Amino acid sequence: MKQGFVKVAAATPEIKVADCEFNRLEIEKEIEKALEKHVKLIVFPELVLTGYTCSDLFLQEKLLKEAKEQLILLAEFSKNKVILIFVGLPIEVCGKLYNVSAAICNGEILGMIPKTHIPNYSEFYEARHFTRGNEKPIVITVNEKEVLFGTNLLFECREMEGLVVAGEICEDVWAPNPPSIRHALAGATIIVNSSASDETTGKDIYRRSLINGQSARILCAYLYANAGEGESTTDLIFGGHNIISENGVALSESTRFQNETIVADIDINRLRSERRRMTTFESKEDESYVKVGFSLKQEETVLSRRFDNSPFVPKSKSDRERRCEEILSMQSLGLKKRLKHTGCKSAVVGISGGLDSTLALLVTVRAFDSLSISREKITAVTMPCFGTTDRTYQNAVELIRILGASFMEINIEEAVNLHFRDIGHDSSIHDVTYENGQARERTQILMDVANKVNGMVVGTGDMSELALGWATYNGDHMSMYGVNSSVPKTLVRHLVEYYADSCKDEKLKSVLYDILDTPVSPELLPPENGKIAQKTEDIVGPYELHDFYLYYLLRFGYEPSKIYRVAKLAFKGIYEDEVILKWLRVFYRRFFSQQFKRSCLPDGPKVGSVAVSPRGDLRMPSDACARIWLEDLDSLS
């Protein structure tokens, strides 16, 4: 339960119709199994204590009494067990019968949630037996104890801020105005649904999209427990289709036609972060709700949840290719609009033979093709200097030639050495002045060439470099339009690879693959034995780690210790824990200290859910202090 994680379950036990004792014992078995897995919240299907398919037996006094007695025994069973349980049964209140989900914890019946929307169409005829539930809770008596009864109940965990549970039953989520909407706006972060949704061909697809969609709409976790084998098959089949979804993503899903218990780790703090960020999520105190406290043992959740170590890159090839095509189209469309608006018929791109400048040129070619402007109007400039290797130079020249852009080569060694003499810098001292002098000379050339050809400079820097400040201020940091500004380094590689695989030009493919195989480097230091001497990832750390850190920092507001925790899981067997922690410290130091570079970024298109534009997703003071974030990491040592 630390850092917002809580383990939950949706269970479909074996049942017998109208055999409440048998059903209660089976429920208890599932609870015991869940406790062994440290589950803190479990939900069972609709009317599970009796069976959903009892039909007119629901009108029998004996069945109703038996269901209530078994509920009381189940509550007694739960005593001293650290778990919140939701179980379905019929119950009579003021002479009317209700379909309810009862909340149980540590020997107590905390409340009963009646079903709101009573279906009475097609195969459903619940209105024959059940009454629509009341919203505002009332007090009823069960086993000589007062129990709250109503839909507007919020079950709040005393030990974990933000763990607030509310419920609805089956049809409620299928209706046009589900109760879960107002539950979420009133503060519920987890919605439980005790359901008995029968199976028809294709219904599972709709059910899955419905549950995922509802969890996304109201920024919650949604636990859906469905009736399964054991229900009457007189007219219907129940498949036990259980789903645990969080903000639109199914974390766990059962196999249909097999009674299963599914388990998942919900990230409550992630949901709270999303709600804080989304200003249109208008949560408010609702006086019609009653809050019921419950207690769970505070302990660290052993996570079974999977964390993708490349959150910006889809795992499946088909999804990855679709993502790459989409992003290339967005990048080129952004540049196309800027060219049309400014009336520019030409563009200038600095080409180094590296991944970023290659992607920028490919995007520029796409934009020019869409405008039916000759590629010769793209001036591709290569500017070799002290650190340029034969490999990157040849790749740059060949790439420009194959793509049909206008080639320009300007060797900047003489200009940089003259500049060093002007400012009194010893060129044998390979410090930051030595490196940045080259970067700024290149940018000056690109800007002036753009003036000469009446064009615009297309920027090459990517989002990962901007996050780390790995760019020379007013050097490669500056352009007239930055097409790569929201593309992380881990995705740049896949975009270039996708272009290579889909271009149908073997020579271009060959060059692009050699560029992909070249170490990432700014090439600002002299080569060693003709090979790149300056490898970026040796200096600032692996980009796959930094992209992971960036994603969880900006997308979900994770604290540093939580990022470290999930990074250890995501990169297990790839990086040692101390390596992950080392580069995480570097990430935070650079991310905070280099904001001044991001505060004056050129325009560029946002293409994903994370971006660092000062006009959009990241409005951050340039002099913000990183102390509390770094202290959080120091506490791990």
Side-chain angles (χ1 to χ4, degrees), residues 355 465 489 493 518-522 532 534-537 543:
L355 279 172
E465 293 177 341
K489 183 74 79 176
R493 177 171 297 278
T518 304
V520 177
S521 172
I532 292 171
Q534 187 184 27
K535 296 180 180 179
T536 298
E537 292 181 292
Y543 274 116

Side-chain angles (χ1 to χ4, degrees), residues 298-316:
Q298 179 70 276
E299 60 185 7
E300 185 166 312
T301 303
V302 178
L303 297 176
S304 55
R305 182 171 177 149
R306 179 180 172 275
F307 293 89
D308 193 339
N309 58 25
S310 297
F312 292 110
V313 183
K315 286 299 183 187
S316 79

Side-chain angles (χ1 to χ4, degrees), residues 72 184 615:
I72 293 167
R615 296 167 296 278

Side-chain angles (χ1 to χ4, degrees), residues 6 48 56 211-213 282 317 410 519 521-522 539 547 581 620:
V6 59
V48 66
D56 282 357
I211 300 307
N212 285 339
E282 299 176 350
K317 184 179 180 182
I410 301 174
S521 172
I539 302 167
D547 282 358
L581 186 58
M620 173 179 167

Side-chain angles (χ1 to χ4, degrees), residues 309 567-577 580:
N309 58 25
K568 288 192 295 181
L569 294 173
F571 292 97
K572 187 176 183 179
I574 302 174
Y575 294 104
E576 297 294 327
D577 292 353
I580 294 171

Side-chain angles (χ1 to χ4, degrees), residues 346 348 379 408 445-455:
S346 60
V348 179
T379 303
M408 178 180 287
I445 288 171
L446 293 174
M447 293 289 182
D448 292 344
V449 170
N451 291 157
K452 186 176 181 181
V453 301
N454 192 30

